[in-house]
Amino acid sequence: MNREDFRKLITSRMIFMDGATGSILLKRGMPTGVCQEKWIVENPEVISTLQREYRNAGSDIILSPGFGANRPLLTEHGLGDETVSLNKALVNVSKKANPDALIAGDVSMTGVSLEPMGDTTFEELIGIYKEQISAIAEAGADLIVIETVINLADARAAVIAAREVCDLPIMVTMSFNENGMTLYGTSPESAVITLQGLGIDAFGVNCSAGPDNMYPIIEKIVRFAKVPIIVKPNAGMPKVGEDGSARYDMKPEEFVSHFKRILDLGGVNIVGGCCGTSPDFIKALKDNFSDFKVKSDIYQKTFEDKMVATSRLGVFLKDAEDFEEVEVDVFSPDEIIDEINEMQSDFLCIKGSDPAKIEAALRVYNGIALYKGDPKEGVIEVLNKYGAVL
């Protein structure tokens, strides 16, 4: 599906995604401790049955089960060299089981840590995602879903990778703690503004909490979203048993009862379930909200140019004056990356005229940057690509 058709679809009516996968596979015979993606490929009938149940319950979008199918995580199981083949196989399993549904290639965190805290460069992380997403696209997925992300840098790397290897629609969902921030300190406002600046097609929240506790997060996102919003909660908060397993007690009826308040915020028209949910939860959503009138006019709103987002402190500020200016023309691309990694201020203002060096700065900066200079040919294209504010 091309991006234009996808945008028309997701702004025309309520769109229903699927629900939990891993926890249900465990109940249906998948052993603990195995590589889930490899086991699924070797036992495709189990996932096929589950995904058909989601489709019959009303899911428009089915996630291909490649949540951990990136090279670093597969390497932990000795399967790094099967990254491409496994991702293609996982998409094909889902396509075969649901030929009339939209199949989304599932992408998530990689487990690596970025410089300067870790050993992986931002470009290396983009390369990891490129390998996985290229395989997903080549296998014929209809769109890319980047989900359960807690680090905005990972989300940015995955979006940039997707944009550079394919033209499929991109949806991103992040997970937030009880304090309304991701584990890495990103606010919902910062996340949606930064990622929609990179050109994603929808943004929202998955996992995190039950729908009863998700309202404050969605309320913040709605204020600044210019793309459709996704809500994919757990079946309430988990209760951990003596064996360490998580139990979710919320029933489909209660799950659905909390959605009306969220939907009335406007802008939310892609819904589904995460941990603890099942096809029964999706059916309940479908039965209650298939005729819900979406408010597509909300996506036409704009926000002022002086509003700047950053993930470094997880804040969103208006008319901020404390910017660190970086004159990129006097540095090499590698030096630019070092300068930004060593920044003391939360906000970046770029000065310069070399499009390649401007891109080097914008590519690694984890937020929305300002640009001060002459937006000549070549510069404007780079600013637009990364959502920078002129």
Side-chain angles (χ1 to χ4, degrees):
M1 172 172 278
N2 64 48
R3 295 181 67 196
E4 182 179 356
D5 289 343
F6 183 72
R7 288 171 179 171
K8 288 179 180 178
L9 173 64
I10 62 177
T11 55
S12 66
R13 64 174 178 84
M14 287 295 294
I15 301 297
F16 300 90
M17 299 183 71
D18 54 14
T21 296
S23 58
I24 296 179
L25 293 181
L26 288 170
K27 294 178 181 178
R28 298 188 181 185
M30 184 177 74
T32 59
V34 301
C35 174
Q36 176 175 297
E37 291 74 23
K38 182 70 170 180
W39 186 88
I40 287 171
V41 170
E42 294 175 344
N43 301 272
E45 67 285 349
V46 183
I47 191 69
S48 297
T49 298
L50 175 59
Q51 291 188 336
R52 282 193 291 267
E53 290 173 7
Y54 278 123
R55 180 61 177 146
N56 292 336
S59 296
D60 300 295
I61 297 174
I62 301 291
L63 269 62
S64 170
F67 183 86
N70 55 69
R71 182 173 286 270
L73 293 182
L74 290 175
T75 298
E76 294 179 5
H77 296 278
L79 301 170
D81 290 341
E82 296 185 36
T83 300
V84 171
S85 61
L86 279 175
N87 275 281
K88 289 183 176 180
L90 292 164
V91 171
N92 288 329
V93 167
S94 295
K95 288 179 63 178
K96 184 177 180 180
N98 296 277
D100 60 341
L102 293 176
I103 303 302
D106 190 5
V107 178
S108 191
M109 300 279 286
T110 64
V112 303
S113 296
L114 287 172
E115 294 180 338
M117 303 302 294
D119 299 326
T120 304
T121 67
F122 191 65
E123 284 304 317
E124 288 170 342
L125 182 58
I126 291 174
I128 290 168
Y129 282 124
K130 279 186 174 182
E131 179 182 37
Q132 182 182 12
I133 294 171
S134 293
I136 289 170
E138 289 172 9
D142 296 293
L143 65 147
I144 304 297
V145 172
I146 302 162
E147 64 152 332
T148 325
V149 183
I150 58 174
N151 186 354
L152 184 55
D154 283 73
R156 289 188 71 253
V159 172
I160 291 170
R163 280 284 164 263
E164 293 182 351
V165 300
C166 68
D167 194 33
L168 294 177
I170 301 173
M171 299 166 61
V172 180
T173 57
M174 297 186 70
S175 295
F176 298 87
N177 294 334
E178 292 181 0
N179 64 359
M181 310 286 275
T182 71
L183 184 63
Y184 281 74
T186 300
S187 69
E189 303 97 317
S190 298
V192 64
I193 292 173
T194 299
L195 294 171
Q196 70 189 7
L198 289 176
I200 65 172
D201 299 281
F203 175 82
V205 184
N206 80 298
C207 210
S208 303
D212 49 333
N213 294 318
M214 231 178 230
Y215 183 91
I217 298 172
I218 305 303
E219 186 178 32
K220 293 176 181 178
I221 293 171
V222 167
R223 291 176 58 205
F224 301 104
K226 296 197 296 180
V227 295
I229 300 166
I230 308 159
V231 178
K232 210 168 182 277
N234 295 335
M237 295 302 291
K239 296 179 180 178
V240 181
E242 293 182 1
D243 62 351
S245 62
R247 186 181 78 249
Y248 296 85
D249 292 337
M250 186 175 285
K251 304 301 181 184
E253 298 76 17
E254 183 185 356
F255 183 79
V256 167
S257 70
H258 297 289
F259 265 85
K260 181 63 166 61
R261 182 174 177 234
I262 292 174
L263 295 179
D264 284 340
L265 285 169
V268 177
N269 63 320
I270 306 171
V271 297
C274 203
C275 302
T277 63
S278 67
D280 289 341
F281 286 74
I282 305 306
K283 185 178 187 303
L285 286 172
K286 181 81 171 183
D287 289 346
N288 281 271
F289 302 117
S290 59
D291 296 327
F292 190 88
K293 186 172 178 57
V294 301
K295 302 174 183 179
S296 59
D297 58 330
I298 194 171
Y299 311 126
Q300 305 304 316
K301 69 182 179 180
T302 61
F303 56 91
E304 296 176 25
D305 284 349
K306 290 184 179 180
M307 292 182 176
V308 179
T310 178
S311 72
R312 292 174 183 244
L313 291 179
V315 294
F316 175 82
L317 299 181
K318 179 181 177 182
D319 298 326
E321 297 179 354
D322 182 20
F323 293 98
E324 183 157 335
E325 292 190 353
V326 175
E327 176 66 67
V328 296
D329 287 349
V330 302
F331 295 109
S332 70
D334 287 343
E335 290 172 334
I336 291 170
I337 294 172
D338 291 339
E339 282 290 314
I340 293 174
N341 282 337
E342 294 173 3
M343 276 176 53
Q344 298 301 311
S345 171
D346 296 311
F347 300 99
L348 172 66
C349 181
I350 296 172
K351 297 174 67 176
S353 60
D354 186 329
K357 293 183 177 180
I358 293 170
E359 179 164 19
L362 294 177
R363 195 170 176 86
V364 73
Y365 178 63
N366 200 29
I368 294 289
L370 295 182
Y371 172 75
K372 183 189 294 185
D374 180 15
K376 64 179 183 178
E377 184 178 355
V379 172
I380 284 291
E381 290 81 358
V382 173
L383 299 182
N384 289 339
K385 179 178 179 180
Y386 296 96
V389 176
L390 179 63

